[in-house]
Amino acid sequence: MSAHGPTIPMTSFPCGPLTGTAEVPGDKSISHRALILGAMSVGETKITGLLEGQDVLDTAKAMQAFGAQVTHHGPGAWTVSGVGVGGFAEPDQVIDCGNSGTGVRLIMGTMATSPISATFTGDASLNKRPMARITDPLALFGAVAHGRSGGRLPLTITGAADPVPVRYTTPMPSAQVKSAVLLAGLNAPGQTVVIEKEATRDHTERMLEGFGAEITTEETDEGRVITLTGQPELKPQTIAVPRDPSSAAFPVCAALIVPGSDVLVPGIGLNPTRAGLFYTLQDMGADLTFENMREEGGEPVADLRAKYSPDMKGINVPPERAASMIDEYPILSVVAAFAEGVTVMQGVKELRVKESDRIEAMASGLRAAGVPVEDGPDWWNVTGSPRRGNAGGVPGGVTCASHLDHRIAMSFLILGMAADQPVSVDDGGPIATSFPIFEGLMGGLGADLRRTEDAAA
Ligand code: S3P
């Protein structure tokens, strides 16, 4: 079973050129934050372009359980009437965050400095993921957590009745950890400081500023030092969520490896803390251009145009770029399978604790599909083979396990579009967590995706 729905085996058949315009949905990271900060402000926040994937819907439901009023008005259009900083009510039900690490971790931070208790759970994937990285810093505020061994879900947090502000250096590059501490700091008196050695996505900081919090970021020898003054009154906002670069990655990468393709992916956020994949693809020699560069809602935005790129070369992906493309390594490994030579991906230990162990999941599927892959604890290499007439390319002809991980499922389905033989996934259900229109959108560009019941037809 997928998080909230039935198992959906799917097959991707080799297809002709992908062409047209791919309007991908709203940014998942920004959507979660818009709902959470809307719930923490006093008055009505209006949101358009909200991602209506299951992960975000679970966060919307959680905000209701804590007392906010969340209303759906039409596609992507939502309002949140918040309860104010420190105004969360104790939920009378278990908070089920489904597949979403971002949802559960940010919400645990948000409630940890209020004198209430809440119990959190998720699906089989989320309940395996490490939560001590969140509950450890929350304990410094005075919150108490009781979970399963290894700090895993289901777990109960009792928030601090008299929270103290915290100065915390994140032990791993994680926007979720940083954000959980900042959101907890909202209801602590005085200044909460988070220091991160490597910059991770900064949507929480940008949005807190937008909602009227006093927050500064300083680049120092220690790293990025983010200082938040607690107990502000957050003012409701009107938020237009930009389209998700992590979803754009799929049609962009598909176009690069399917012969003859030319795809436009409009309105994609190029926040430097998120855009690493696109620069990496350009470094590999991809025909990927940024058109109509502009600024929207304080974020750099462009229309991406991706064309079939038969002459890509494997590169050493700069490890310092990892945080800005952390969710994109699975689909990058698929592109790497069609690029000449070796693509080296280092400094990516965090990939082992995502919705699945993404190095293991991709390495085993790619090997089965005929692609040489080597891996170690925090690195992996993919040796590519560009298609040259009847030679080269990727054999395919396999069924891969998606391990309840949307990005693994989508990556293997993209592989099937350019491989010699179809590629199947055991379960495409998790795709609905982040990219519910993936099947129709890719089909509209020319992909041949079928649910397995239809695959034999
Ligand atoms: C996210 C942060 C990243 C990323 C996830 C979304 C966020 O996780 O992988 O998909 O919205 O803050 P980590 O904080 O674990 O790196």
Side-chain angles (χ1 to χ4, degrees), residues 37 51 62 91 98 119 121-122 127 147 156 165 191-192 196 208 230 237 255 264 280 293 386 398 439 444 447 451 453:
L37 287 182
L51 168 64
T119 300
T121 192
N127 287 2
T156 299
Q191 291 191 323
T192 286
E196 55 176 5
L208 276 168
Q237 296 299 297
L264 183 71
T280 298
M293 287 282 283
V398 288
E439 216 177 331
R451 300 200 173 201
E453 306 86 85

Side-chain angles (χ1 to χ4, degrees), residues 28-30 32-33 102 105-106 129 133 173-177 179 200-201 203-204 326-327 350 353-355 358 406-407:
K28 181 153 70 74
S29 293
I30 296 177
H32 283 294
R33 287 159 173 81
T102 306
R105 289 172 171 151
L106 268 53
R129 298 181 67 186
R133 57 175 59 196
S174 167
Q176 293 174 356
V177 174
S179 301
T200 63
R201 66 191 68 194
H203 305 302
T204 303
I326 195 67
D327 290 336
E350 281 294 299
V353 290
K354 295 292 179 188
E355 285 85 330
R358 285 182 169 161
H406 52 132
R407 299 198 201 285

Side-chain angles (χ1 to χ4, degrees), residues 287-303:
D287 187 348
L288 169 63
T289 47
F290 303 151
E291 298 178 354
N292 192 15
M293 287 282 283
R294 55 202 186 267
E295 203 168 292
E296 281 176 14
E299 299 265 356
V301 166
D303 304 334

